[in-house]
Amino acid sequence: MAYEEGFSIEKNSVEGAKMSASQDRATTANLTYDELAGLKAERELVLLIGPAHPGSGHMKIKVWMDGDIIQRVDPDIGFVHRTTEKLSENRLYIKAIPIVERVMLPDTINANLAYVIALERLLGIEPTPRAQYLRTLTSEINRITSHLYGIGLYGIFLGSSTVYMWAFADREPLIDLLEEISGARITYSYIIPGGVRWDLPAGFKERAETVLQYMEARLKDYEKIWVKNPVVMDRTEGVGIVSKSDAIRLGITGPNLRASGVDYDTRRAKPYAAYPNLDFNVPTFSEGDCYARLLQRVEEIEQSIRIIRQVLKDIPDGRIISDDIYSKMNPLQKRMYEMKHRVMFPAYMASMRPAAGRSTASVEAGRGEIFFYLVSNGDKVPFRFRWVTPSFLNLPFFTHVMVGQHLADLPAIYGSSDYFPPEADR
Amino acid sequence: MGGGADGVAYFGNLEKVSKKAVSFLKKQGYVKSMINWGDKFSLWPVHLMTSCCGTEFAAASGPRFDLERLGFLPFGGPRQTNLIVIEGTTTLKMARSVRIVWEQMPAPKWVIAMGACAMDGGIFYDSYNTVPARDIVPVDIFLAGCPPRPEALARAVVMLQESIVKNRPPAADIQVTAAPATSGSKDVVEAVSK
């Protein structure tokens, strides 16, 4: 049937389903195997969910159904493909920072950090210890806001508006902290080659401690209304199970991988920033169901709070920008740095020409591992700019997990993966 | 005023009076202002996230900014909504969906183009896969920022409310054109045209 793609039921109409139902009632005993298979194919129904649908985000999910049971899932991505790789290959190195941030908007610091680490490896610059700690601090605060974003949207998917309201309210104090450091609400562009752009403002540690205490108190409330909620547990326990071997085979990453029992965290496996000096656990769950993925994020928030406390306690004094960059500043910029602890971009930033070569970087973002691959041929712009985002790696998850589940469980599974389409489409 | 033989009291010509009342209300603009008032506080945006400004849209619906106090309630089905907020970049693939959703919405309907990308491409101005919002649907309010803060979105909603009251043409002058049948099969189009 030549329906336009979009808002119709493909392949088999409602009449087809009715017909096959009436055939079911008739005897099927004397049908051949092929006829039975044909009957099954006739019963199949294709649903198109999204992109204008609260349960899909910026993507379309094609679902083949047999009755209420999902037979096959085909996520139709590319609705937010903004060609960041090609754009970055035509921009100066420093101008790629805002572009990678726009792609991972709830989690901008980690995207920024991954790119800058790859760029630093290309340039051969090493950031100062204080800058490393500041990077870790902002990265962890951003991880909490990213997880709260995921928890809030999962609340919407499970029909619990209360949790959405709570999570988005509790995100705000943490965003305020980052705003205080960097001056922006969501898109910070805080991390630059050689260090960071601003130092901690006066009295930041006390305010951060207040927010952390508030967050810890709130996590206990979340336990009552969200984590131990019987409705939430009924809808998520035993739903969408990914076994350990499947998680590895499918290449799932981040909290979804750890919720399946794989003890892998980029922060520990390939340490960067100040993580080698910090003491933290990597929580894992063996169940691999939606409930484990939900708990995983709550546990990670607790660990992030622990890391932030250590960073605020141990942060060393010193410059926030490496000597390589500091020596390239003009006298006015140096005076500005001494007065306000603020890095103004030296002219060098606009004319960086890394030596020919290639570099990679991996960073554990809120949704999993970001991987960067840069190739320079000695020009002002990258010769090749390639990055793999965690949401894209988590995409095979849908096709694998949703098969055999009820249609009503689709939002529960989709929400549990904390999938962010702009991140996957780049 | 007079009395009938069968005890019925007549208070003037009812038909005449009602016509007078209608013309009075029309002339004074009470009916129009009533409709405007209703539209002003029931701007329901459709749940269509085109791009990354959607995170700030979500924050704007959250408790700190709480746009629901302005009657701004995100809603699932396009048929029940009267506002599209185009959140940032629209790719070629998404543009088609935006257009279909806009055509599905009943008139009167409004569009807010949120963010620099929706205005003129923004940071992705030279991308091969993006379309400015104004090429897809008629835009009422442009909202600057990358991404705009939730307060800015609230300001855009207030500006739209003001423009509904001030600039709206009288009901007779609003031209409702039939949406071109870009979607649906021939049978559906024929059924509708009958």
Side-chain angles (χ1 to χ4, degrees):
Chain A
M1 224 178 277
Y3 280 120
E4 280 276 327
E5 191 188 5
F7 299 89
S8 55
I9 296 163
E10 267 188 5
K11 194 174 170 184
N12 284 307
S13 58
V14 180
E15 290 90 292
K18 276 181 193 163
M19 256 171 66
S20 62
S22 66
Q23 278 174 0
D24 259 5
R25 282 194 288 278
T27 175
T28 52
N30 48 6
L31 291 177
T32 63
Y33 179 78
D34 285 349
E35 282 168 338
L36 274 173
L39 206 66
K40 189 169 177 290
E42 218 172 65
R43 244 176 31 197
E44 209 174 54
L45 202 70
V46 185
L47 290 182
L48 301 172
I49 302 174
H53 188 273
S56 75
H58 328 243
M59 76 185 297
K60 181 153 75 186
I61 311 174
K62 263 186 170 181
V63 189
W64 281 261
M65 309 280 307
D66 182 7
D68 190 24
I69 307 294
I70 297 171
Q71 298 294 316
R72 192 151 74 85
V73 173
D74 181 16
D76 183 7
I77 60 167
F79 279 95
V80 211
H81 172 57
R82 288 175 292 183
T83 70
T84 50
E85 289 184 5
K86 197 70 204 162
L87 289 182
S88 304
E89 282 167 14
N90 293 304
R91 307 268 166 101
L92 299 176
Y93 279 97
I94 198 77
K95 289 187 179 175
I97 290 176
I99 291 184
V100 298
E101 278 190 334
R102 294 307 181 277
V103 168
M104 302 180 60
L105 213 65
D107 203 10
T108 48
I109 290 275
N110 286 308
N112 185 349
L113 181 57
Y115 171 65
V116 168
I117 288 176
L119 181 53
E120 277 172 351
R121 284 180 185 160
L122 212 54
L123 290 165
I125 299 177
E126 188 67 31
T128 59
R130 188 173 173 83
Q132 296 280 38
Y133 271 81
L134 284 172
R135 286 175 179 191
T136 310
L137 172 73
T138 46
S139 165
E140 289 305 320
I141 296 177
N142 210 334
R143 190 185 313 281
I144 299 178
T145 61
S146 166
H147 281 336
L148 284 174
Y149 186 85
I151 288 171
L153 290 192
Y154 198 22
I156 289 273
F157 285 151
L158 292 185
S160 166
S161 303
T162 311
V163 171
Y164 161 76
M165 289 292 172
W166 280 30
F168 273 74
D170 294 339
R171 220 171 134 244
E172 296 296 335
L174 293 152
I175 287 177
D176 284 351
L177 284 184
L178 285 174
E179 193 175 346
E180 215 177 306
I181 298 179
S182 67
R185 207 184 115 81
I186 295 286
T187 45
Y188 311 104
S189 298
Y190 179 62
I191 296 161
I192 53 171
V196 293
R197 277 171 65 203
W198 308 78
D199 209 337
L200 288 184
F204 179 82
K205 287 183 187 179
E206 290 75 32
R207 286 194 291 279
E209 183 54 39
T210 317
V211 172
L212 293 185
Q213 280 173 9
Y214 168 75
M215 205 48 232
E216 276 176 340
R218 286 297 279 175
L219 281 181
K220 282 173 194 152
D221 295 343
Y222 277 95
E223 187 142 359
K224 280 180 208 155
I225 204 167
W226 174 238
V227 178
K228 294 279 166 64
N229 186 331
V231 178
V232 172
M233 286 170 84
D234 271 0
R235 287 205 62 185
T236 54
E237 265 182 334
V239 174
I241 297 173
V242 193
S243 67
K244 191 172 177 177
S245 59
D246 278 343
I248 295 169
R249 185 172 58 83
L250 295 168
I252 292 170
T253 176
N256 297 342
L257 178 72
R258 293 192 283 277
S260 292
V262 184
D263 191 6
Y264 176 83
D265 191 315
T266 318
R267 288 175 289 178
R268 207 180 49 197
K270 305 170 192 166
Y272 57 92
Y275 288 110
N277 313 329
L278 299 168
D279 176 32
F280 61 96
N281 294 339
V282 177
T284 56
F285 287 87
S286 56
E287 292 85 357
D289 58 355
C290 291
Y291 191 58
R293 287 189 280 276
L294 185 156
L295 285 173
Q296 179 72 30
R297 293 191 165 76
V298 179
E299 295 270 319
E300 287 196 7
I301 291 177
E302 283 171 10
Q303 290 303 319
S304 291
I305 291 173
R306 196 173 148 200
I307 293 173
I308 294 167
R309 284 231 169 86
Q310 287 177 49
V311 168
L312 290 173
K313 199 167 122 260
D314 300 344
I315 188 164
D317 290 333
R319 284 222 181 99
I320 57 167
I321 193 85
S322 74
D323 292 340
D324 295 329
I325 304 289
Y326 186 76
S327 62
K328 291 186 173 78
M329 288 182 182
N330 66 29
L332 178 74
Q333 287 170 333
K334 280 182 181 167
R335 213 167 70 219
M336 186 64 118
Y337 177 79
E338 299 304 336
M339 275 164 61
K340 292 190 173 175
H341 289 277
R342 175 194 159 184
V343 176
M344 293 175 82
F345 281 7
Y348 167 72
M349 289 284 190
S351 59
M352 281 188 293
R353 286 171 188 271
R358 53 188 70 187
S359 71
T360 60
S362 295
V363 159
E364 182 74 27
R367 292 172 176 74
E369 182 175 347
I370 312 175
F371 176 75
F372 256 100
Y373 174 66
L374 291 181
V375 181
S376 164
N377 58 356
D379 207 350
K380 276 183 183 176
V381 296
F383 175 73
R384 182 78 179 95
F385 181 102
R386 168 90 182 122
W387 64 317
V388 182
T389 44
S391 280
F392 186 70
L393 293 177
N394 287 333
L395 198 62
F397 178 89
F398 296 131
T399 50
H400 175 77
V401 178
M402 286 176 185
V403 175
Q405 303 280 345
H406 293 279
L407 181 65
D409 288 336
L410 189 140
I413 297 169
Y414 181 90
S416 77
S417 72
D418 197 6
Y419 180 78
F420 189 59
E423 187 180 296
D425 294 345
R426 298 193 297 273
Chain B
M1 198 173 75
D6 44 354
V8 181
Y10 295 108
F11 295 90
N13 188 340
L14 198 60
E15 209 171 301
K16 215 173 176 181
V17 169
S18 62
K19 267 182 187 167
K20 258 189 180 177
V22 167
S23 71
F24 173 76
L25 286 170
K26 268 187 181 170
K27 202 174 163 191
Q28 293 294 316
Y30 290 139
V31 175
K32 194 182 143 198
S33 71
M34 196 71 178
I35 294 171
N36 284 348
W37 180 81
D39 279 339
K40 188 178 164 186
F41 294 111
S42 13
L43 289 170
W44 288 8
V46 62
H47 192 111
L48 175 78
M49 298 289 154
T50 61
S51 216
C52 57
C53 285
T55 57
E56 289 298 64
F57 180 86
S61 309
R64 179 178 278 192
F65 303 100
D66 190 19
L67 290 201
E68 211 178 314
R69 69 205 146 99
L70 303 173
F72 184 87
L73 177 69
F75 215 80
R79 297 284 186 207
Q80 284 89 38
T81 57
N82 58 359
L83 173 66
I84 296 189
V85 180
I86 296 182
E87 294 110 344
T89 330
T90 324
T91 59
L92 288 169
K93 194 170 179 179
M94 186 61 100
R96 195 167 173 275
S97 295
V98 172
R99 181 71 193 183
I100 291 172
V101 168
W102 184 80
E103 282 170 4
Q104 283 181 334
M105 281 160 51
K109 50 195 167 188
W110 295 275
V111 178
I112 294 178
M114 179 180 181
C117 299
M119 288 171 80
D120 214 1
I123 196 168
F124 301 103
Y125 71 97
D126 53 350
S127 169
Y128 57 77
N129 200 26
T130 60
V131 199
R134 58 166 191 273
D135 291 354
I136 313 164
V137 286
V139 178
D140 294 289
I141 303 279
F142 285 103
L143 168 56
C146 189
R149 295 176 66 95
E151 295 97 317
L153 182 56
R155 179 77 193 129
V157 173
V158 171
M159 277 173 74
L160 182 59
Q161 289 179 343
E162 283 169 3
S163 88
I164 287 173
V165 174
K166 276 184 198 162
N167 306 332
R168 188 167 187 181
D173 295 355
I174 298 174
Q175 289 186 352
V176 183
T177 49
T182 52
S183 61
S185 68
K186 271 184 182 174
D187 314 341
V188 176
V189 174
E190 278 172 14
V192 170
S193 57
K194 274 175 193 171

